[in-house]
Amino acid sequence: MTQFPKNFLWGGAIAANQAEGAFDRDGKGVSILDVMSVGSKNQPRQRRSLDDQTAFFPSHDAIDFFDKYESDIALLKQLGIKCLRTSINWTRIYPTGVESVPNEKGLAYYDKLFDCMIRNGITPVVTLQHSDTPIYLADHYGGWKNRKVVDYFLNYVRTIFKRFRTKVKYWIVINEINSVNFVTWFGAAGENLTESEKEQASYHLLLANASAVKIGKSINPNFKIGGMVTDCYSYPYSCRPEDVLLSVRDKHKNIFFADVMVRGYYPSYKIQELKRKSISIKQEAGDDDMLHAGTIDFLAFSYYSSHVSSTQKDEVIQGNLLQNIIGKTNPYLQTSDWGWQIDPLGLRTSLNDFYDRYQIPLFIVENGLGAVDNIDDNNYVEDDYRIDYLKQHIQAVKDAIDYDGVNVMGYLVWGIIDIISGTTGEMAKRYGLVYVDRDNYGKGTGRRYVKKSFDWYKQVIRTNGENL
Ligand code: BG6
């Protein structure tokens, strides 16, 4: 009989900026996401002025998790999840990022939230930065390309680790650190970066990640601190040697971030690339030691789709704004309503690939299907398509553990309650096992209704993955 490990972390995930709302309450500052208007599958979110009456900013109210967390956590307790991943919004704690004293009201909110989770038997898994860099740091310092942002981030990190040292054990430092490759505004690395600025921003993000690990361990040696990437496994389109070599190059582009976080130094392929491009990274004394000392305990990753590397660039995948790797559509796969290719077996391949390379525990901290849901007259969503998606992906994890011997710590369904989409800001792109009555423009009662997938996942967790 196939077995998931006894303490497997079954759970769900959300992010502060996509769930909390209350964007200006209790002294919170404005984050980069708070000025991004709603977009769509074909229209990326845009930065707009806060007093632009024609713009709609989805993060301002999101799903009101800020006020509704108690009833939401109670619902998640019924689901039986062992852990919930959420993030701390940096701007609740340091509104502009540069204050010397943290905002006590912001800290108090997360105290209440984590206490509530713990009371309900749900272990918090906490991301320190999920795309919500203070806008002040983006505008006045140019975001992550400026080394000062690393210092401000570490100031915030120190505050958080000290405050929650007994409440939180599992930490993820920076959400999808490699997304700086695709959408620089996401992490406020700045817009229109030159290649060398992007490399410098990447370096700062990696340095911040390592320093956070080091700081965390000095505050509580029992912390488990992970680094996180979005998985971008790329198949060669054909066995043409050129396609195969391109897939290696594409892989380097993304796995570089994981290589540094796990191994503690820049890999030789990156060093050669920087030399070739005459890019020199500005470093300070002690940086190399810091990268080396701050390696991660586990590698966390999000998985939605695989990709295809092809030297023929005629057929670019449309609709995937976040993971816009140039490549061909995979003819063997189906796509979601938003054009993301669905590939459960690719998850197993990725797990093997990561584990072969690093031999450290892996944590799938985001996986799920963003789809249009139709709620019926009885307030029920029969989301068999979501059940099917999750079932196949969990089966792939099961096989990776049981057949291939990969060490997987846990699996989290992304957007366990419907939240606003990260890439488009739409509410209509739903991942949840719980429906939230709200539309793309914030209209609706905000009431929660369980979907068919809720009961399905409940029995998956109850049987520790035996009944899929
Ligand atoms: C991940 C992000 O990249 O993808 C999440 O960490 C995001 O914040 C998720 O929500 C799915 O993207 P989307 O646009 O479908 O919400």
Side-chain angles (χ1 to χ4, degrees), residues 304-405:
Y304 295 97
S305 188
S306 57
H307 304 275
V308 176
S309 299
S310 168
T311 40
Q312 315 291 304
K313 299 232 159 73
D314 51 322
E315 233 187 81
V316 174
I317 296 179
Q318 298 296 332
N320 186 342
L321 298 175
L322 178 62
Q323 295 161 348
N324 57 350
I325 293 180
I326 303 297
K328 284 207 174 199
T329 301
N330 188 327
Y332 301 103
L333 301 177
Q334 299 199 321
T335 56
S336 74
D337 295 341
W338 270 260
W340 294 18
Q341 297 205 296
I342 300 171
D343 183 10
L345 211 54
L347 175 55
R348 181 171 171 191
T349 305
S350 277
L351 284 165
N352 273 278
D353 196 51
F354 280 137
Y355 197 58
D356 286 352
R357 199 170 176 106
Y358 303 129
Q359 298 281 298
I360 64 168
L362 303 176
F363 196 173
I364 302 148
V365 294
E366 286 185 30
N367 176 238
L369 178 69
V372 174
D373 285 338
N374 292 308
I375 189 154
D376 68 18
D377 294 342
N378 299 316
N379 294 319
Y380 195 58
V381 178
E382 295 225 22
D383 54 346
D384 293 291
Y385 40 91
R386 182 168 292 109
I387 294 174
D388 197 45
Y389 178 103
L390 295 173
K391 190 186 282 189
Q392 291 189 49
H393 283 77
I394 294 173
Q395 182 65 50
V397 178
K398 202 169 178 176
D399 293 340
I401 295 173
D402 193 53
Y403 194 94
D404 308 327

Side-chain angles (χ1 to χ4, degrees), residues 98-217:
V98 303
E99 292 82 359
S100 48
V101 179
N103 173 28
E104 177 52 34
K105 282 189 173 162
L107 290 167
Y109 167 69
Y110 291 106
D111 259 327
K112 284 189 293 181
L113 175 61
F114 300 150
D115 285 346
C116 177
M117 287 189 205
I118 294 162
R119 237 184 1 257
N120 284 285
I122 298 175
T123 301
V125 175
V126 178
T127 311
L128 290 159
Q129 199 226 6
H130 197 122
S131 325
D132 38 26
T133 303
I135 193 77
Y136 186 88
L137 293 182
D139 288 346
H140 291 79
Y141 292 83
W144 281 98
K145 66 176 189 273
N146 187 330
R147 173 109 188 192
K148 284 221 166 71
V149 172
V150 178
D151 297 335
Y152 289 126
F153 178 68
L154 295 178
N155 186 39
Y156 154 72
V157 163
R158 220 171 269 116
T159 303
I160 298 301
F161 279 154
K162 279 193 190 147
R163 177 74 168 224
F164 303 113
R165 85 186 167 280
T166 56
K167 290 185 183 170
V168 179
K169 176 177 170 189
Y170 295 101
W171 299 94
I172 290 165
V173 183
I174 294 168
N175 183 65
E176 296 185 340
I177 192 165
N178 57 335
S179 66
V180 66
N181 269 344
F182 323 115
V183 272
T184 49
W185 58 260
F186 233 73
E191 279 160 302
N192 306 319
L193 297 186
T194 63
E195 206 169 353
S196 102
E197 285 172 333
K198 201 190 255 189
E199 292 296 348
Q200 191 65 46
S202 303
Y203 178 72
H204 289 153
L205 285 159
L206 288 163
L207 192 66
N209 202 92
S211 311
V213 174
K214 188 89 194 308
I215 292 168
K217 294 288 180 170

